[in-house]
Amino acid sequence: MQPGVSSAVTARDGYIKAEACYNKFCKSPQKQKYRHNWLNCIEKFQTVYRHDPSSPWAAAGLYMSGKLYQELYKRSYKKSDKKEAIDLFERIVKRFPKSKYNYKAGMAIRALLIPKDQNKAPIKTENKASIKTENKQKQNKETTKDNALNPEKLSIITDLRFWSNPNYTRIVIDSDKETSYTHRLLGKDPLIQKPQRLYVDLKTSILGKATEKKIPINDNLLSNMRAGQHASDSVRVVIDIKSFKNYKIFSLKNPFRIVIDVWGKDTDTTYTADSKLIPSKKNGKITASALAKQLALGVNRIIIDPGHGGRDYGAPGYLKDVHERSVALNIGMKLAEKIREDLGCEVIMTRNGNKYLTLEERTAIANTKNADLFISIHTNAARDRRACGIETFFLNLATDDDAILVAARENATSTKNISDLQTILSDLMQNAKINESSRLAYHVQESMYKNMKKDYTSIKNKGVKQAPFYVLLGAQMPSILIETSFISNSRECKRLINSKYQNHLCDAIVKGIKSYINETNPTAFLKTDAKKGSKG
């Protein structure tokens, strides 16, 4: 077979399939009422071009994509559809000067750019009914446009944020209110020197005046991100890609924000705590510690995440002026110290003081620091002040109403939003280590219950639960959330602010972590234990 014949045949087959879709679409006025059907047909033609931009079928695929956007614009009156059509036709003119579609594309551009009124005959004044009908239609269009641009209905894109290391990047798009959005991945286009791009279109939105329009990222995966007013009532955020393995996009509520996680291809490197790349080889050979890290043979770095903080007080305590944010921090700091002393692991705190962090930022810290475990510390609360006990959660679909209530409170959102999140959670959890997280949760929960009941009465074991916690979404390591006790309960609130109780609780958590590590890697503590034995 001659070079290029295979790709040309595949492109032709793709075009035939796209054309079949188009013919079926044209025969269905019902399908033409819905935008997603238009975009589905457009995507099929654009796939023909992306498959082989040098194929003779590429220009045909681009032209049909532009033609569909042109027809869609006549119905939607969206400037973004018009712009997409013009961009596609201009690409044909520049790239395929000898193609028969070159002339067609030029004529289409002219039709889109010349105002319609120039091609219309003047309206006869004696036809009053026609004038009245036209004025009414014009008024309706203007009313629709005014409604779309009503500031009260538009969301404002307030910020673009990111966290990254060489193999992972999390981007967050902040909005002051909920809005619909679409996203699309575009292939690299060497002919016009365009990198691979991912764009997110936010509907009924405007860009905030203080929002940065271009933010350099410059890690191994992404170059930068750009935001612009794509149309009068939509914002487009474009991410320029260098290289990536896969990505996930999801939204969180209260406040509304869109989270984009991008993962790179697996690398033979290790990272320091400040996320700077360090060599994994010494004298041309891979070091033992690097190899251990690559093969996941141990737990070296643990992230401790004291919940809430700053303006987020968390749950109020039974006692006056006691809040979850300070109790969680005190327990978290004690736990960090004990892990360093007893397990010899490196510990990174998401916060060391009364600092506000968003939930998505906490997970991003764990991912960018390449942590081996992520442990979020919280105190429970309920309207019924008799409620008490200790429980541990891992990320999954909620198993009962109580778990949904806890997740809603910790996520600072409604139970309805938790239910909505569960419908897309299965897709979000593809990178989550659910089995490892559940094992870690069981070891920690069992250790807390067994050890705490030795020194305290009325320790209730609420067991291991699963629920969709925002703070655990996207974590790339075994991750759990511990509800240490009920701050809303009289007895447990007094215990939670007691230093002795906090120490006992942390000792129990450390024993649970050690039990998990021993199960995962039975030889992890042999050398340490041998040294301790020789000292005795």
Side-chain angles (χ1 to χ4, degrees):
M1 186 176 286
Q2 294 178 0
V5 172
S6 177
S7 62
V9 170
T10 308
R12 183 195 65 191
D13 292 343
Y15 186 84
I16 291 170
K17 289 179 182 178
E19 197 171 46
C21 172
Y22 173 73
N23 291 333
K24 194 183 262 187
F25 175 71
C26 289
K27 292 175 183 177
S28 175
Q30 185 65 24
K31 282 189 175 181
Q32 293 172 33
K33 291 180 180 178
Y34 300 97
R35 183 177 179 83
H36 71 273
N37 291 326
W38 288 84
L39 297 179
N40 180 50
C41 210
I42 289 169
E43 175 61 22
K44 290 185 186 305
F45 281 111
Q46 290 194 341
T47 300
V48 175
Y49 166 76
R50 287 199 299 270
H51 179 76
D52 185 5
S54 61
S55 161
W57 296 94
L62 281 181
Y63 177 76
M64 289 303 297
S65 299
K67 183 180 177 182
L68 278 161
Y69 265 120
Q70 185 180 19
E71 291 300 315
L72 180 57
Y73 169 64
K74 291 177 182 178
R75 294 168 178 255
S76 69
Y77 300 101
K78 288 190 172 186
K79 289 182 180 179
S80 57
D81 291 335
K82 178 181 177 181
K83 186 177 184 302
E84 289 282 358
I86 293 172
D87 287 349
L88 289 164
F89 290 136
E90 284 181 344
R91 200 179 302 180
I92 295 170
V93 171
K94 292 177 183 176
R95 214 166 298 173
F96 303 98
K98 296 180 181 179
S99 168
K100 66 179 181 180
Y101 293 101
N102 184 285
Y103 175 78
K104 289 184 177 182
M107 294 299 293
I109 293 169
R110 185 178 298 176
L112 283 162
L113 293 178
I114 296 174
K116 294 178 183 178
D117 293 342
Q118 290 185 17
N119 297 322
K120 287 183 180 179
I123 300 171
K124 295 180 180 179
T125 54
E126 60 267 25
N127 191 346
K128 294 181 179 179
S130 176
I131 294 172
K132 188 176 181 181
T133 302
E134 188 175 358
N135 287 340
K136 189 172 183 181
Q137 289 175 346
K138 187 177 179 182
Q139 186 178 3
N140 286 340
K141 284 182 184 179
E142 288 175 352
T143 303
T144 304
K145 187 177 179 182
D146 288 342
N147 285 338
L149 296 177
N150 185 341
E152 293 181 1
K153 295 185 178 181
L154 291 172
S155 63
I156 300 173
I157 307 308
T158 57
D159 199 10
L160 302 175
R161 299 177 283 139
F162 79 94
W163 299 263
S164 90
N165 70 18
N167 207 39
Y168 166 82
T169 307
R170 168 167 281 190
I171 288 172
V172 176
I173 304 169
D174 291 309
S175 175
D176 71 337
K177 65 179 69 171
E178 188 173 347
T179 187
S180 60
Y181 66 95
T182 56
H183 59 89
R184 188 173 167 197
L185 184 66
L186 300 176
K188 186 185 291 185
D189 204 331
L191 292 175
I192 56 172
Q193 297 181 334
K194 287 280 189 181
Q196 190 171 23
R197 286 149 290 150
L198 171 66
Y199 72 74
V200 181
D201 282 344
L202 297 96
K203 310 302 181 186
T204 59
S205 300
I206 57 173
L207 201 58
K209 291 181 180 179
T211 305
E212 278 193 71
K213 293 180 174 60
K214 185 174 182 179
I215 298 177
I217 298 175
N218 293 326
D219 57 18
N220 285 10
L221 309 180
L222 310 175
S223 302
N224 54 60
M225 57 177 160
R226 297 169 278 123
Q229 197 67 47
H230 187 57
S232 59
D233 61 346
S234 74
V235 170
R236 172 169 288 186
V237 176
V238 181
I239 301 162
D240 293 327
I241 299 171
K242 293 180 182 177
S243 170
F244 81 107
K245 184 178 181 180
N246 66 339
Y247 71 94
K248 294 290 179 188
I249 297 183
F250 57 96
S251 61
L252 302 178
K253 299 180 181 181
N254 298 339
F256 183 79
R257 64 267 199 207
I258 298 167
V259 181
I260 306 165
D261 279 340
V262 183
W263 292 276
K265 297 173 184 177
D266 295 331
T267 58
D268 295 331
T269 52
T270 55
Y271 306 100
T272 60
D274 61 357
S275 296
K276 291 180 181 177
L277 189 64
I278 60 172
S280 60
K281 293 185 178 182
K282 189 175 182 180
N283 298 325
K285 296 181 180 180
I286 298 176
T287 62
S289 61
L291 184 62
K293 179 72 174 178
Q294 290 165 30
L295 299 177
L297 294 179
V299 174
N300 300 313
R301 182 176 298 150
I302 299 175
I303 297 287
I304 301 299
D305 172 48
H308 309 277
R311 66 175 183 267
D312 178 8
Y313 283 72
Y318 180 88
L319 301 174
K320 188 179 179 182
D321 296 328
V322 174
H323 291 91
E324 184 177 4
R325 67 176 185 180
S326 55
V327 174
L329 180 61
N330 289 336
I331 294 172
M333 293 181 78
K334 284 182 171 65
L335 179 60
E337 192 58 36
K338 289 179 183 294
I339 288 174
R340 293 186 186 105
E341 290 177 0
D342 298 350
L343 303 184
C345 294
E346 178 188 358
V347 180
I348 297 172
M349 302 281 290
T350 57
R351 67 181 181 98
N352 288 299
N354 189 22
K355 178 184 178 183
Y356 175 77
L357 294 171
T358 61
L359 296 172
E360 64 274 11
E361 185 174 358
R362 297 166 189 267
T363 324
I365 291 170
N367 286 341
T368 56
K369 300 300 185 186
N370 291 280
D372 300 304
L373 298 179
F374 178 80
I375 299 172
S376 194
I377 302 295
H378 292 257
T379 65
N380 218 334
R383 288 185 178 181
D384 183 354
R385 295 198 168 189
R386 294 171 297 177
C388 61
I390 297 169
E391 59 188 336
T392 307
F393 287 87
F394 65 95
L395 179 70
N396 210 328
L397 299 173
T399 47
D400 56 47
D401 290 341
D402 284 345
I404 290 175
L405 286 170
V406 174
R409 183 175 58 78
E410 297 296 1
N411 292 348
T413 191
S414 67
T415 54
K416 180 187 180 301
N417 287 341
I418 295 297
S419 299
D420 292 344
L421 179 63
Q422 293 202 133
T423 62
I424 59 169
L425 193 61
S426 57
D427 185 51
L428 296 179
M429 292 191 305
Q430 286 182 9
N431 289 292
K433 298 191 174 182
I434 303 301
N435 292 334
E436 293 93 330
S437 297
S438 66
R439 286 207 305 272
L440 175 61
Y442 278 105
H443 279 288
V444 169
Q445 178 65 23
E446 183 180 28
S447 177
M448 285 194 296
Y449 175 63
K450 284 185 176 179
N451 286 283
M452 295 303 286
K453 72 176 184 178
K454 293 176 183 177
D455 299 304
Y456 298 90
T457 59
S458 304
I459 296 293
K460 183 179 179 181
N461 184 8
K462 289 180 67 68
V464 172
K465 305 281 183 67
Q466 52 193 51
F469 288 94
Y470 287 178
V471 75
L472 302 181
L473 282 175
Q476 295 176 271
M477 69 294 299
S479 309
I480 60 173
L481 185 148
I482 303 172
E483 295 285 1
T484 51
S485 293
F486 277 75
I487 201 170
S488 54
N489 177 279
S490 173
R491 178 179 60 249
E492 294 194 348
C493 182
K494 292 172 185 174
R495 287 176 174 176
L496 281 168
I497 60 174
N498 182 278
S499 182
K500 187 178 179 182
Y501 183 82
Q502 292 177 357
N503 278 317
H504 282 161
L505 190 65
C506 291
D507 287 335
I509 294 172
V510 170
K511 287 178 182 177
I513 296 171
K514 185 172 183 178
S515 176
Y516 165 80
I517 294 173
N518 272 327
E519 182 186 80
T520 308
N521 178 19
T523 64
F525 296 103
L526 287 181
K527 291 182 180 179
T528 306
D529 292 342
K531 286 180 181 179
K532 288 181 179 178
S534 63
K535 287 180 181 179

